[in-house]
Amino acid sequence: MEFSCTAKQFADHVLLTVVGDVDLAAHGRFQADVEEAWDGSSDLIIDCSQVTFLDSMGLRVLVHAMQRASTNSRVITLAAPSQPVLRVLELAGVKELFTVTGPVQDAEPGSAA
């Protein structure tokens, strides 16, 4: 499935919705999208519910963003990570580094579930 990433800015966080395969071919775009949409001064929610594939390069982008958030005392939340995302996070032993929530409406502060 073709990769896409869209961003929405809220008062206290940025929501990135990621769709498709996050692989070697897409990781550069994913990294650029994260850097363009999120300056590290707010929390970041990444909706991973529609990610169909995640490889080590996609994982690298997530870990780099998590390190950046940690440096800035911010939080990255992975909203409704798909099975492919969870599998890679678990295999790499980094799942516990991220806050994981349910669907985006549950992850957005101030929203009704």
Side-chain angles (χ1 to χ4, degrees):
M1 179 182 259
E2 178 132 2
F3 170 82
S4 69
C5 184
T6 56
K8 287 176 81 176
Q9 182 75 46
F10 293 87
D12 61 347
H13 70 280
V14 172
L15 171 65
L16 284 179
T17 302
V18 183
V19 177
D21 294 347
V22 185
D23 56 13
L24 179 63
H27 92 278
R29 279 185 47 210
F30 185 32
Q31 181 71 45
D33 289 343
V34 169
E35 289 176 5
E36 181 179 323
W38 180 62
D39 66 5
S41 66
S42 61
D43 291 341
L44 176 63
I45 299 173
I46 303 175
D47 179 355
C48 298
S49 62
Q50 298 177 69
V51 174
T52 52
F53 179 80
L54 179 74
D55 73 2
S56 62
M57 295 305 288
L59 176 63
R60 182 176 181 253
V61 174
L62 291 176
V63 170
H64 177 75
M66 184 274 309
Q67 290 170 331
R68 186 171 161 210
S70 179
T71 298
N72 293 313
S73 300
R74 292 306 190 184
V75 175
I76 290 189
T77 301
L78 302 181
S82 64
Q83 206 49 45
V85 172
L86 287 174
R87 186 174 190 311
V88 170
L89 293 175
E90 289 168 357
L91 286 172
V94 297
K95 182 181 174 194
E96 64 280 350
L97 298 177
F98 296 92
T99 300
V100 177
T101 65
V104 147
Q105 61 270 17
D106 297 341
E108 291 184 27
S111 63

